[in-house]
Amino acid sequence: MRLVRSLRLPLVALLAAIAVNAGSAESADDAHWEYRMASVEGVYQPLVGDFAGDQGDDILWYAPGEGVDVLWIADAGARGSDSFTRVRFSVDGDYRPVVGDFVGDDYDDILWYRPGTTPDPIWASVPTDAVFERLDRMTVDGDYRPEVLRDYRDGAHKDRIVWQRTSKGHDAVWYFDGDGFGGHRSGRLEIRTDVAVRAGDWDGDHVDDLLLYGPGTVDDGLWLSGSEDGFTEHPLEINGEYQPVTIIGAERDGVFLFGPGAAADRYLRSEGSSFTSAPVDSFPTGGVAHGADARGFAFVHSTTPGTREDGFVVEAGAGRRFKLSESHDIGAGIRPVTGDFDADGVVDILWYGAGDRPDELWYAQSLDPT
C-alpha cells in the first residue's frame, strides 16, 4: 500500500500511555491492546501487503513447496480471526518472495524469486475477485538476497529492488517502469557479500536508501538514493555484533542496533548523510529484534521462556524500552507478523505459531495522544 510518509502508522496507543525512565522497563497497560484468538494451522512464510486494495494489510500465508497457500484479506474496521476473508491459492514451488509496488497501481505485488535461471513470475494485484494476475516476464539469473526500497513520493513512482549477490558476480538494482506489465531496467552495483543490507529513508526525501552493516569491525556504509539513478556513498563506522532494525521517523528514519551478545544496544539517529549514536535502555540478550511499519517503534521478542516481549520506542531522539504487555507471555519461537489489519491507522501484531502452536491477534487501540 502506498502511504504518505507522514502517515506511516504511528503506534499512538502505546506512545501515549507510556512514560519510560532510563534504565527501567515499564509495562504497557493491557487496556491498550485488544486480544483476539487466531487460527492459522500450518507451516507458512507470511507475506504482508495491501494486495486487495482496501487500505487494510492482508496476509498471504505462503507454504514453500507443494502445500496449499491461503490469502487472508482483511476486512476494514473488523477485528479477529473471522474478520479475514480467506482465498486459497497454489504457488507450487520454493521461492524467496519479494513484496512491493512494482507494477503500477499503488497496491502491493509479489515477485516470486527462485535462485537459478528459471522464470520468476510477478503476481500483480488487480481490482477483481481474482486478486492477482500472473506476469511471466521476469528472470533473475543468479543467487541473491533481495531488499525492497520503498518510494513514498506522489505520482507514478515504483519501488526498487536491490539484488545483493551471495557469492561471485555483481549486485544490481531494478527500476520498475510502472507500465502495468512489470517492465524494468537494471543498474549495476558493487555491495560485497560480507555486509547485511537494510533499507530506510535516511535523508528524508521520501525514497528509501541503504545501510550496509558489517558485523564486528567489517566496514559499514551509508548509501543515499539520488534524484536520478544510483547512490551517493558516505562513510560509516558502527563496530560490534548487532541485529540492525529500521526505525520509521516522521522526517528521517533511524536504526535500532540490538546487541544480542556483549555489545550494548544503541540507537542511530539520522542526520541526513550521517548518524549520531545514542545509548538505549538495556534489553535482554536472548531475543530477536523486529521492525514494524510504525513510526518510532520496534520490539524484541525474547527467546527465553517466561520473559515478556519488550518494545522499543524513540522519545526525544533517544531510545527507550518498555514491556509490550504485562499479562500476555507469547512464548519463545512464536513469530510476530505486523500490519494494520483493521485499517485504523495503527499497527497490529499477529503472533503466529507454526504448525499446531497457538496463534493470537493483538490489536493496538487507536488513542490520540493529543
Side-chain angles (χ1 to χ4, degrees), residues 5-361:
R5 180 169 183 79
S6 61
L7 300 178
R8 283 183 74 180
L9 303 181
L11 200 62
V12 296
L14 296 180
L15 305 191
I18 300 166
V20 183
N21 300 315
S24 69
E26 298 184 4
S27 299
D29 189 332
D30 285 342
H32 296 288
W33 292 108
E34 182 179 331
Y35 306 109
R36 296 289 188 91
M37 298 304 296
S39 181
V40 179
E41 297 182 353
V43 179
Y44 298 100
Q45 179 181 346
L47 309 178
V48 178
D50 181 11
F51 304 120
D54 58 0
Q55 304 306 307
D57 283 326
D58 312 306
I59 309 172
L60 178 64
W61 299 100
Y62 161 57
E66 298 179 356
V68 176
D69 314 286
V70 183
L71 175 65
W72 283 19
I73 302 175
D75 295 335
R79 292 185 166 185
S81 181
D82 293 338
S83 67
F84 293 88
T85 299
R86 292 164 171 79
V87 181
R88 289 196 170 196
F89 287 90
S90 179
V91 179
D92 194 17
D94 290 299
Y95 296 94
R96 298 176 189 172
V98 187
V99 175
D101 178 16
F102 309 129
V103 170
D105 56 4
D106 285 343
Y107 302 150
D108 287 317
D109 313 301
I110 305 173
L111 191 157
W112 296 101
Y113 161 61
R114 178 164 47 193
T117 58
T118 56
D120 306 290
I122 279 186
W123 282 16
S125 296
V126 293
T128 70
D129 291 341
V131 185
F132 296 108
E133 177 179 300
R134 179 176 173 132
L135 306 174
D136 287 311
R137 297 179 53 184
M138 303 292 141
T139 300
V140 185
D141 191 359
D143 194 338
Y144 298 93
R145 288 185 290 266
E147 182 77 4
V148 174
L149 277 64
R150 293 283 190 171
D151 191 326
Y152 294 93
R153 296 173 295 178
D154 292 333
H157 299 289
K158 300 295 102 184
D159 298 334
R160 294 167 292 158
I161 303 176
V162 167
W163 300 97
Q164 181 189 20
R165 69 190 187 278
T166 60
S167 56
K168 63 181 180 180
H170 299 284
D171 311 295
V173 55
W174 278 15
Y175 303 89
F176 285 86
D177 299 336
D179 58 1
F181 299 100
H184 68 280
R185 54 192 173 84
S186 179
R188 183 165 162 174
L189 298 175
E190 295 292 338
I191 296 177
R192 305 194 332 258
T193 59
D194 58 350
V195 296
V197 174
R198 296 291 183 270
D201 182 11
W202 317 127
D203 59 358
D205 64 353
H206 308 291
V207 182
D208 274 351
D209 314 298
L210 288 177
L211 171 74
L212 278 58
Y213 163 69
T217 58
V218 174
D219 291 340
D220 312 293
L222 177 64
W223 288 18
L224 300 180
S225 302
S227 57
E228 303 296 333
D229 293 354
F231 300 89
T232 301
E233 299 183 29
H234 297 269
L236 183 65
E237 184 175 307
I238 295 178
N239 292 331
E241 299 284 343
Y242 294 103
Q243 296 175 16
V245 173
T246 300
I247 302 295
I248 304 303
E251 297 181 356
R252 292 190 292 263
D253 295 343
V255 182
F256 172 41
L257 296 173
F258 172 60
D265 304 319
R266 297 159 59 190
Y267 172 64
L268 300 183
R269 183 176 58 249
S270 176
E271 304 293 341
S273 60
S274 64
F275 288 103
T276 300
S277 181
V280 303
D281 300 335
S282 179
F283 284 75
T285 57
V288 179
H290 298 273
D293 203 9
R295 191 185 310 154
F297 176 72
F299 58 95
V300 175
H301 182 212
S302 176
T303 55
T304 303
T307 304
R308 301 284 187 250
E309 289 70 35
D310 288 289
F312 174 88
V313 63
V314 176
E315 266 186 351
R320 295 289 183 264
R321 172 191 170 203
F322 65 92
K323 294 292 185 184
L324 281 182
S325 171
E326 185 61 32
S327 65
H328 278 60
D329 177 21
I330 295 301
I334 305 297
R335 177 174 179 176
V337 181
T338 60
D340 183 11
F341 303 126
D342 55 357
D344 67 347
V346 185
V347 164
D348 312 301
I349 305 174
L350 190 157
W351 296 95
Y352 162 58
D356 58 359
R357 303 186 68 177
D359 315 296
E360 192 169 68
L361 272 162

